[in-house]
Amino acid sequence: TGVEVDLQAELGELLPWAKGFSVFANVTQLSGTAANGSTEQFPAKQVANWGVSYSRGRIGCSANWTYAGKAIDSLGAFSPDGQIYIAPAATLDVNAQFRFTKRFRAFANVRNLTRQPAERYYEGTGLAGYASQIFARKDLASIRWTVGVAGEF
């Protein structure tokens, strides 16, 4: 179970000087566990997406941010309540396109522009007495990009 809220607005309808600009935001909050008590069915219980885009004439571009809250990666064997989780993180994606004609365009997409790594932690009561969580590993992130042309035939 959960709740989702979504908002989209064309700014040109509210502010004439902002014609072509739009914004959006989406927030999801999940709750509950799987039938066996595991939380693995809900990798991130909190997710938010927001962004801004511009599209006018031949040009289009957007910037989109995504936040994912704490996510269960796997259950740990080191303690009865142990788990390995992925720490909360936010990423930024940007996109741009130029339309040569109604059916032919060039585009560029860049994902994870901020190079946000995935950090994993051990958590549970079976850890050393001084810690309730211990850093496990950091998966270094790279920027993923795509450049190309597209057409409709």
Side-chain angles (χ1 to χ4, degrees):
T1 61
V3 175
E4 181 175 9
V5 177
D6 185 51
L7 169 70
Q8 296 181 20
E10 296 287 334
L11 296 181
E13 294 176 9
L14 303 170
L15 306 166
W17 57 266
K19 187 174 181 182
F21 283 95
S22 62
V23 294
F24 79 93
N26 176 285
V27 178
T28 303
Q29 174 71 46
L30 300 174
S31 62
T33 58
N36 65 359
S38 168
T39 56
E40 289 184 279
Q41 284 187 332
F42 303 104
K45 290 189 176 189
Q46 298 152 345
V47 178
N49 302 285
W50 63 96
V52 62
S53 64
Y54 176 79
S55 181
R56 194 164 176 194
R58 296 177 174 225
I59 298 171
C61 56
S62 66
N64 304 311
W65 289 264
T66 300
Y67 168 81
K70 178 179 169 179
I72 305 295
D73 188 34
S74 63
L75 299 178
F78 52 87
S79 72
D81 66 341
Q83 61 188 13
I84 301 171
Y85 74 90
I86 301 170
T91 60
L92 169 63
D93 300 338
V94 294
N95 306 293
Q97 72 174 359
F98 181 82
R99 288 178 288 283
F100 295 106
T101 68
K102 205 171 192 180
R103 296 183 176 215
F104 186 67
R105 66 185 172 92
F107 64 90
N109 303 316
V110 180
R111 295 188 46 121
N112 197 13
L113 186 61
T114 55
R115 297 188 66 189
Q116 178 66 44
E119 297 179 350
R120 287 173 169 74
Y121 293 85
Y122 297 111
E123 184 178 86
T125 56
L127 299 175
Y130 58 85
S132 61
Q133 66 175 235
I134 297 176
F135 180 75
R137 76 174 200 240
K138 181 186 254 185
D139 296 335
L140 298 179
S142 61
I143 296 173
R144 297 178 305 275
W145 55 273
T146 305
V147 176
V149 292
E152 295 179 31
F153 302 99

